[in-house]
Amino acid sequence: MTSGKLPIALTIAGSDSGGGAGIQADLKTFHAFGVFGTSALTAITAQNTLGVRAIHPIPLEVVRAQIDAVAEDLRPGGAKTGMLATAPLVGTVAGAIREHGIGNYVMDPVMVATSGDRLLDVDAQEALVTELLPLATLVTPNLHEAEILTGHPVSTIQEMRHAARKLVEMGAGAALVKGGHLLEGEAVDLLWDGTRERVWRRTRLDTPHTHGTGCTLSAAAAAALARGLPLPEAVELAVDFVTRAIRTAPGLGQGHGPINHFAGTRYLPGLGHT
């Protein structure tokens, strides 16, 4: 990050018309971390807290043009990807990240929405592994996504540990396996950076208002990296932010409601309860 300049982060993801996830959640999170947010839209979805009603993909050339426009003028110090529905889209995004040399890249392997709606084609799973994973500074799968990416069951802390190591062996710089639905009954996030393991444990919050947690966590990590923080501290800030955002969720909607992006960070006091 250049001294005296506002840090910039880029999100490459889909739009959530309900405002709780996707591009909308990412930009809110960047703002909460005091980072200027830029975006490349991959899809437009019609959705609310009850589910996804329609998905309209953005043409590949337009996705690439958005990334090019940002990278050539508003050079991001951190970036993240979210919803990348198809294998050709994964390839397009991977090519842009590689050719522009975009660093501090956080890969959120979005596969299924909180509502259960599938957001990734089956043939795109392999493309995520072969094309995007090797570019990632950090990959942030939940238990189900970690199972799909590694091909092994992930339902215990020990299996999370094995999955994180496997993802790093597969090419990721580091892996944060999110255990919000562990059978053990507590929420656990496990980070492996190739040399050291870090684990965050907390009491699981019994709430339906968790829409956008994965988007928010990856965006928070990308924003913290864009600010120049080392990876372990960036992840700790992201986990802390999401935990408080869930705890203070505003209770909107009739289904899986959004979390509270006003929860604040250590950088900014925020506008909501801490």
Side-chain angles (χ1 to χ4, degrees):
M1 184 182 76
T2 303
S3 177
K5 290 188 177 180
L6 187 66
I8 299 171
L10 166 65
T11 169
I12 305 169
S15 169
D16 172 5
S17 57
I23 288 281
Q24 288 84 347
D26 294 342
L27 293 176
K28 292 173 188 177
T29 302
F30 291 166
H31 186 80
F33 275 73
V35 172
F36 183 81
T38 61
S39 62
L41 204 63
T42 61
I44 298 170
T45 70
Q47 64 175 295
N48 54 27
T49 66
L50 298 174
V52 179
R53 299 184 180 184
I55 298 175
H56 174 70
I58 303 299
L60 299 181
E61 63 272 18
V62 178
V63 175
R64 177 62 194 250
Q66 292 175 83
I67 301 172
D68 291 345
V70 170
E72 292 166 7
D73 182 46
L74 298 160
R75 182 71 183 176
K80 66 149 288 186
T81 53
M83 179 182 174
L84 304 174
T86 67
L89 178 56
V90 172
T92 296
V93 170
I97 291 174
R98 184 170 51 250
E99 291 167 33
H100 286 292
I102 297 173
N104 291 325
Y105 161 51
V106 179
M107 173 183 164
D108 179 13
V110 176
M111 297 178 178
V112 180
T114 304
S115 60
D117 296 286
R118 188 171 184 87
L119 300 175
L120 182 75
D121 290 350
V122 174
D123 63 350
Q125 294 170 190
E126 182 177 355
L128 284 180
V129 171
T130 59
E131 300 193 53
L132 271 180
L133 192 67
L135 301 175
T137 301
L138 174 69
V139 59
T140 61
N142 60 28
L143 298 180
H144 180 59
E145 292 161 348
E147 284 189 357
I148 294 174
L149 291 172
T150 65
H152 298 286
V154 184
S155 60
T156 67
I157 294 176
Q158 187 61 30
E159 289 171 346
M160 289 174 64
R161 181 170 290 117
H162 290 156
R165 282 157 175 76
K166 177 66 174 177
L167 289 166
V168 171
E169 291 173 6
M170 292 165 64
L176 177 71
V177 180
K178 303 174 295 186
H181 298 89
L182 273 179
L183 298 178
E184 280 89 342
E186 63 178 344
V188 178
D189 294 310
L190 187 147
L191 173 68
W192 173 248
D193 63 6
T195 58
R196 182 180 173 188
E197 178 182 289
R198 295 167 177 82
V199 179
W200 291 269
R201 297 173 182 264
R202 59 205 177 279
T203 302
R204 183 186 299 164
L205 299 173
D206 185 16
T207 173
H209 302 293
T210 58
H211 183 54
T213 51
C215 303
T216 299
L217 190 145
S218 55
L225 290 170
R227 294 195 66 103
L229 273 71
L231 180 67
E233 186 175 347
V235 172
E236 182 169 358
L237 279 173
V239 170
D240 176 70
F241 179 70
V242 170
T243 299
R244 287 184 290 110
I246 295 173
R247 185 180 299 124
T248 60
L252 302 177
Q254 303 172 62
H256 295 285
I259 60 178
N260 175 26
H261 290 97
F262 296 122
T265 71
R266 295 180 195 175
Y267 293 109
L268 301 174
L271 302 176
H273 300 292
T274 59

